[in-house]
Amino acid sequence: MDIITVIIIAVGILQLPLLIDALRNVFPHLNIQRITQDYASYFLFTLVVIVYCGFMYLFFSAFVYVRAEQPYTTFNGWILIFLACYFCIVSFFHYTYACFHDPGAAPLVMPNFQVDYPVCQKCNRVKVSTTRHCKVCNRCICMMDHHCPFTFNCVGLNNFYYFTSFLGYAWLGMTFATYMTYTAFMGCMIGLTDYKAALPESTCANLGKNAIVVVPIITLWVAIGTLLAFQIICLFCNVSTLDFSILFRQSNPMRKLWYKFRTREFLQENSRMKVLYIDRRNYFWQHLLPWPIEEFPCCY
């Protein structure tokens, strides 16, 4: 089994958690179970590692030569190498933290211990106005956005930044990958003369069927871009994914979302955009680095 087949299979399997979660929301009466339990989490993470390694292998072994015939001796070649490594490292860093970092679980209340806050009857944790109980994790999460089937973890106060940053950098990475592979696909696989003429000699012979890698790349580009656009909309409307789903069960949901955006709730001091993203870095350039963020207490 060659590398391109492995990548296509891995990308296909990675869509299953998203598909199953969508079916659960559309058809709740079917009682479809999530597959993001402990036994599957490391399997999914391994698939992500395989996809990253496969893309980087194809980049250095084949596609870098499509855009730069002498990549290691030209400025253009080094720029391409830098961008490929940068998007790979930064997106994988944020994905790893989104998967394994504590999302901001509410403090556990010990038996017979008096607290000034209400206590969740399901998990025995402090329950303030910004916490929500996750049925999958069986714990209350501060500023919970949703339980992600792709990261097999809740997305909340202390890992929402990693989750959205992963989506952003992964989408940029897929955009870059599309740029690197699209011409070769159109010239070698489709056989369009104009695209083939733009390729260096013997490119099609060297690539073989690897040129079809643009298909899973575009699939990921669309999927990740859709999730990223949805998260951006939620941030500007100052709602979580759970809030969004609740609003759409009510009357006039779009009018309510438009009102939240028009009144600029996202600019308020304790808005989701400021707490979950903007306030996590002191300077803009720090957002460009793969570096852990400052953690906030649950009762922020």
Side-chain angles (χ1 to χ4, degrees):
M1 185 179 296
D2 55 18
I3 186 66
I4 190 64
T5 304
V6 172
I7 290 177
I8 292 176
I9 293 175
V11 170
I13 295 176
L14 287 174
Q15 307 304 310
L16 288 179
L18 299 177
L19 176 62
I20 291 176
D21 217 46
L23 290 175
R24 290 179 71 253
N25 292 326
V26 176
F27 305 105
H29 62 281
L30 295 181
N31 195 27
I32 303 174
Q33 298 298 316
R34 293 178 183 267
I35 66 171
T36 55
Q37 305 302 323
D38 291 339
Y39 66 87
S41 61
Y42 290 103
F43 173 69
L44 291 175
F45 186 79
T46 301
L47 288 179
V48 173
V49 173
I50 291 174
V51 170
Y52 269 92
C53 293
F55 283 154
M56 293 305 292
Y57 171 79
L58 289 176
F59 173 80
F60 282 103
S61 64
F63 287 99
V64 68
Y65 298 98
V66 174
R67 295 294 181 178
E69 293 188 50
Q70 300 294 330
Y72 299 104
T73 59
T74 61
F75 179 76
N76 179 51
W78 279 109
I79 290 294
L80 296 176
I81 292 172
F82 169 78
L83 289 176
C85 293
Y86 175 75
F87 288 133
C88 178
I89 293 172
V90 177
S91 62
F92 185 73
F93 168 85
H94 286 100
Y95 176 73
T96 303
Y97 265 76
C99 289
F100 300 112
H101 194 69
D102 179 22
L108 185 64
V109 179
M110 303 303 294
N112 301 322
F113 189 81
Q114 298 295 323
V115 294
D116 296 330
Y117 298 100
V119 178
C120 177
Q121 299 301 313
K122 298 178 180 179
C123 63
N124 207 36
R125 293 178 180 271
V126 171
K127 191 171 185 66
V128 295
S129 60
T130 58
T131 61
R132 278 187 170 165
H133 183 81
C134 175
K135 297 180 181 179
V136 180
C137 297
N138 193 29
R139 58 180 178 173
C140 283
I141 305 297
C142 191
M143 297 194 76
M144 178 179 173
D145 187 80
H146 67 288
H147 185 95
C148 180
F150 187 62
T151 63
F152 40 87
N153 192 11
C154 278
V155 178
L157 175 65
N158 287 324
N159 71 343
F160 181 88
Y161 178 90
Y162 299 118
F163 176 74
T164 52
S165 294
F166 159 69
L167 292 179
Y169 282 112
W171 185 79
L172 290 175
M174 290 299 101
T175 303
F176 173 75
T178 302
Y179 163 76
M180 294 296 300
T181 58
Y182 180 75
T183 302
F185 173 78
M186 297 300 292
C188 300
M189 300 299 295
I190 305 300
L192 297 182
T193 306
D194 293 342
Y195 288 94
K196 195 169 185 178
L199 298 172
E201 294 182 8
S202 72
T203 296
C204 294
N206 294 334
L207 287 178
K209 62 180 181 180
N210 287 336
I212 204 174
V213 73
V214 74
V215 175
I217 287 175
I218 292 179
T219 301
L220 289 175
W221 183 81
V222 173
I224 295 172
T226 302
L227 293 175
L228 177 62
F230 175 75
Q231 288 299 328
I232 292 174
I233 291 173
C234 286
L235 282 176
F236 276 98
C237 293
N238 197 35
V239 296
S240 66
T241 299
L242 296 176
D243 295 331
F244 190 91
S245 63
I246 293 173
L247 275 176
F248 262 76
R249 298 190 186 103
Q250 302 173 0
S251 60
N252 299 321
M254 298 306 297
R255 179 179 297 179
K256 294 177 182 178
L257 289 174
W258 172 247
Y259 175 79
K260 285 179 171 290
F261 173 75
R262 186 167 56 86
T263 55
R264 300 186 178 182
E265 290 186 12
F266 61 91
L267 294 179
Q268 296 177 6
E269 186 62 28
N270 289 328
S271 68
R272 294 180 61 82
M273 180 177 288
K274 288 184 66 65
V275 174
L276 297 177
Y277 204 87
I278 296 178
D279 289 351
R280 294 311 178 94
R281 302 290 192 189
N282 294 324
Y283 303 99
F284 173 79
W285 58 267
Q286 293 176 335
H287 291 282
L288 306 177
L289 301 178
W291 196 260
I293 60 173
E294 176 187 0
E295 294 192 10
F296 289 165
C298 180
C299 299
Y300 181 88

